[in-house]
Amino acid sequence: MMQPEEMTDQEVTGFNYDDLLPRVNNVDQMLRDVEFQGVYTSSELSRLKQFVEDSKKPLYPGCHKYSRLSGDLKLLQLKASHGWTDKSFKQLLDLLKDMLPEGNQVAGSVYEAKKIICPLGLEVERIHACKNSCVLFRGEYEDLDNCPKCGFDRFKRAKDGGDNNAEDGNEPEEIRGRKGNRGGPVRVAWYFPIIPRLKRMFATRKEAQLLRWHKEGRNKTGDGKLRHPADAAQWGNIDAHFPWFEDDCRNIRFAMSTDGVNPFGNQSSTHSTWPVVLSVLNLPPWLCKKRKYLMLSILVSGPKQPGDRIDVYLRPLVDDLQTLWKPGVKDVWDEFERKDFTLHAMLFTTINDNPAHRNLSGQSKRKGEACPHCLDETCSLWLRKSKKFVFLGHRRFLHKKHPYRNMDCQFDGEKENRMAPQHVSGMEVHLQVKDIKTIEELPKDAILGKRKKRDGEEEEEQGMWNKKSILWELEYWQLLDVRHSIDTMHIKKNVC
């Protein structure tokens, strides 16, 4: 479960203070509903009941304006707004506890303050990773101290900035003793399991109803205009191939996006953290990209970007997606229909910029074959001075009698008589990549990037695929015509 000390101030204080108290007044009814549904465990229910008690308990004897909950929330909001450190906030808590009348309910530590307003945390997995992104230390590698592929240490030395000294002392003694003088992990990835979050969505009546919108609330005009992914041919193709998936409109279709961000907010490009975000396409188009409904599933720590090795970090998400596809998640409570059902979900497409698309798909840019539609028929030209590819041949997509086709000096000096490349289906692409090695199968030399050409050895020709993407493990992936989508912003910026 996500612990309060692992949450940022922004995550902790995401409540609107003006709306909090009216919601707290309805917690008693919410408790009765949740207990009837059996959504939470008994330990979670006990923490939620403590949340209710804190909302009614005065901050100090005789106080009528602030409860323990509202006062704690207000203090945390001030901490987040003004950027107070944990150390300064702890000193403020100590001062308030000493200033207020005896028997006050001011939290004694930062950990306790966050715990008061976070009775029900969603599960998060903190997974150690190899420095070179070879493997995640989970499953069969969970107890290793060195990477089984490249041999690099899993942990830093303590003098290099380890994080084994917990300020709050909440770490079990046996774990602290086993670490000894060892520092923190060299690299970390956080995985936020998607199955518990989907269960929470269906446990709320309003959200459960919205997840049915694509079938029950959408205006099906049939005029050929694309207003929602459900109007696309790919949506209908999935329904045709898997009628059992279409039969239940509660089955989820995801779109996945990822890109590098600098969490420190400056213009430097020396640090790159990669979040992997899922959006739920069942929702109306005016909601599916709202912050409330975007699901952060993976966070890959920097400072270096994972590149083509992002597949290593996608492994937990792909495992959950395979479970959601078949056999599905049984006994999920639907608050809208007031009964249990078996939930299924699929990854409908990815939406990224061009570099992230190449990392996910495994498509190479070395020969200028970077177009996800044209593939090996991509028209490109290498600019030696600028040291980059430019992409040509756009006139191929015009109709045969378009005047631009006969213009030569206005473009590249030649008339355009070629036809547009034919769309390559997912099955045809799968035939191209099925014999290519995945990232997990690459040898040590390829991982470290140190292999040099020996005397008399011919240089290995690089095809248009660097790897076989981990997404091909999904049963339905080769049936999708549009597996990877380029977002509109980058098309306008780079082409128009």
Side-chain angles (χ1 to χ4, degrees):
M1 300 292 292
M2 180 179 288
Q3 298 300 320
E5 71 272 12
E6 297 173 349
M7 300 180 68
T8 65
D9 295 334
Q10 187 63 37
E11 289 171 331
V12 170
T13 59
F15 301 102
N16 185 330
Y17 179 67
D18 295 331
D19 296 338
L20 178 68
L21 293 181
R23 293 184 181 185
V24 167
N25 294 333
N26 295 326
V27 170
D28 290 331
Q29 180 61 40
M30 182 178 71
L31 267 174
R32 290 191 289 270
D33 292 342
V34 170
E35 193 168 14
F36 168 75
Q37 299 163 13
V39 174
Y40 302 122
T41 63
S42 57
S43 62
E44 288 176 329
L45 277 173
S46 65
R47 291 198 297 271
L48 188 56
K49 289 177 180 178
Q50 181 63 45
F51 181 78
V52 177
E53 292 177 6
D54 289 338
S55 70
K56 300 176 180 178
K57 189 180 298 182
L59 184 61
Y60 57 87
C63 178
H64 302 290
K65 186 173 183 180
Y66 290 104
S67 66
R68 188 189 190 204
L69 175 65
S70 61
D72 181 76
L73 179 61
K74 190 64 177 178
L75 288 171
L76 283 170
Q77 284 181 323
L78 288 174
K79 177 183 185 298
S81 300
H82 299 285
W84 296 345
T85 63
D86 287 357
K87 184 176 180 180
S88 64
F89 188 65
K90 173 67 166 60
Q91 292 177 350
L92 175 64
L93 292 177
D94 292 340
L95 179 61
L96 289 174
K97 200 167 187 66
D98 185 58
M99 292 175 64
L100 294 177
E102 189 174 350
N104 65 75
Q105 301 296 322
V106 176
S109 65
V110 180
Y111 173 83
E112 184 182 351
K114 292 183 177 181
K115 190 175 180 180
I116 290 173
I117 67 168
C118 298
L120 297 175
L122 287 171
E123 182 182 357
V124 60
E125 298 179 23
R126 187 172 182 263
I127 308 172
H128 298 176
C130 169
K131 177 182 179 181
N132 297 311
S133 301
C134 306
V135 297
L136 294 179
F137 290 98
R138 63 192 292 267
E140 59 179 322
Y141 302 135
E142 185 174 2
D143 297 325
L144 299 182
D145 288 337
N146 298 90
C147 175
K149 292 192 175 183
C150 68
F152 272 83
D153 290 336
R154 173 179 178 176
F155 298 97
K156 303 174 185 177
R157 292 175 294 177
K159 66 178 183 179
D160 292 336
D163 59 355
N164 56 328
N165 296 319
E167 292 184 3
D168 295 317
N170 297 307
E171 199 171 39
E173 183 65 34
E174 60 272 14
I175 294 180
R176 292 202 302 270
R178 189 171 69 243
K179 283 185 177 180
N181 294 325
R182 187 175 66 191
V186 175
R187 193 163 191 175
V188 176
W190 287 268
Y191 177 57
F192 306 85
I194 59 177
I195 294 176
R197 298 162 83 177
L198 291 174
K199 288 182 176 180
R200 292 281 180 94
M201 292 182 73
F202 278 104
T204 306
R205 180 179 177 84
K206 178 183 176 182
E207 313 298 342
Q209 184 176 8
L210 285 173
L211 291 171
R212 313 161 69 96
W213 179 91
H214 68 97
K215 189 170 185 178
E216 298 180 354
R218 181 170 59 95
N219 185 12
K220 305 172 187 178
T221 58
D223 58 2
K225 294 183 179 180
L226 185 63
R227 297 179 175 87
H228 185 270
D231 298 323
Q234 180 162 294
W235 194 288
N237 291 341
I238 291 297
D239 293 344
H241 278 97
F242 305 103
W244 59 268
F245 189 81
E246 179 202 11
D247 288 343
D248 195 337
C249 62
R250 296 169 292 191
N251 292 332
I252 304 296
R253 308 187 199 215
F254 287 116
M256 182 175 73
S257 302
T258 184
D259 201 358
V261 298
N262 188 339
F264 303 109
N266 54 34
Q267 298 299 317
S268 173
S269 59
T270 58
H271 191 104
S272 183
T273 295
W274 280 65
V276 179
V277 180
L278 296 176
S279 54
V280 181
L281 300 183
N282 295 45
L283 296 169
W286 56 88
L287 291 180
C288 62
K289 295 299 180 182
K290 291 290 186 180
R291 176 181 172 184
K292 177 181 178 180
Y293 296 104
L294 294 177
M295 300 171 61
L296 177 64
S297 58
I298 300 172
L299 188 65
V300 183
S301 65
K304 295 181 180 179
Q305 62 178 344
D308 286 343
R309 307 199 64 79
I310 194 172
D311 287 8
V312 172
Y313 301 97
L314 291 177
R315 170 56 63 187
L317 176 60
V318 170
D319 290 345
D320 270 359
L321 287 172
Q322 288 178 319
T323 300
L324 282 165
W325 179 251
K326 286 183 180 178
V329 180
K330 297 181 179 179
D331 300 328
V332 176
W333 175 259
D334 181 2
E335 175 63 15
F336 183 72
E337 287 195 357
R338 305 288 296 178
K339 64 180 181 181
D340 293 326
F341 74 104
T342 299
L343 173 65
H344 298 273
M346 66 170 294
L347 181 61
F348 187 74
T349 188
T350 69
I351 306 174
N352 308 281
D353 60 5
N354 281 295
H357 155 255
R358 290 193 292 267
N359 292 337
L360 287 174
S361 66
Q363 192 171 342
S364 173
K365 66 175 182 179
R366 293 187 183 94
K367 289 189 173 182
E369 299 171 341
C371 177
H373 174 80
C374 301
L375 298 180
D376 54 356
E377 295 187 48
T378 303
C379 290
S380 60
L381 176 66
W382 175 255
L383 302 179
R384 290 184 296 172
K385 298 294 184 180
S386 301
K387 295 183 179 180
K388 65 179 181 180
F389 282 104
V390 292
F391 298 95
L392 311 172
H394 304 103
R395 291 180 292 163
R396 293 180 297 170
F397 295 90
L398 300 174
H399 61 78
K400 294 181 180 180
K401 295 184 180 180
H402 198 286
Y404 282 5
R405 281 182 169 270
N406 293 322
M407 295 180 182
D408 45 14
C409 60
Q410 290 89 342
F411 292 95
D412 57 359
E414 296 181 2
K415 295 181 179 181
E416 184 60 80
N417 297 316
R418 296 171 297 174
M419 300 301 296
Q422 294 294 319
H423 178 73
V424 182
S425 68
M427 291 185 177
E428 292 173 321
V429 176
H430 183 253
L431 291 175
Q432 296 180 19
V433 302
K434 64 183 181 67
D435 296 325
I436 298 176
K437 292 183 178 180
T438 63
I439 283 295
E440 297 171 344
E441 298 170 343
L442 288 178
K444 177 181 177 180
D445 290 337
I447 293 171
L448 297 178
K450 294 182 178 179
R451 187 178 185 276
K452 297 181 179 179
K453 186 177 67 173
R454 300 172 183 173
D455 294 339
E457 182 181 6
E458 294 184 0
E459 185 176 358
E460 183 180 355
E461 183 178 356
Q462 293 285 352
M464 65 173 297
W465 300 101
N466 292 330
K467 64 175 183 179
K468 181 181 179 181
S469 172
I470 191 175
L471 299 178
W472 290 107
E473 295 182 11
L474 302 174
E475 176 186 342
Y476 48 83
W477 197 245
Q478 59 183 303
L479 299 175
L480 301 179
D481 291 325
V482 184
R483 297 165 302 285
H484 304 282
S485 307
I486 308 299
D487 65 87
T488 308
M489 179 188 73
H490 287 84
I491 291 178
K492 290 182 177 180
K493 180 179 178 182
N494 299 329
V495 177
C496 297

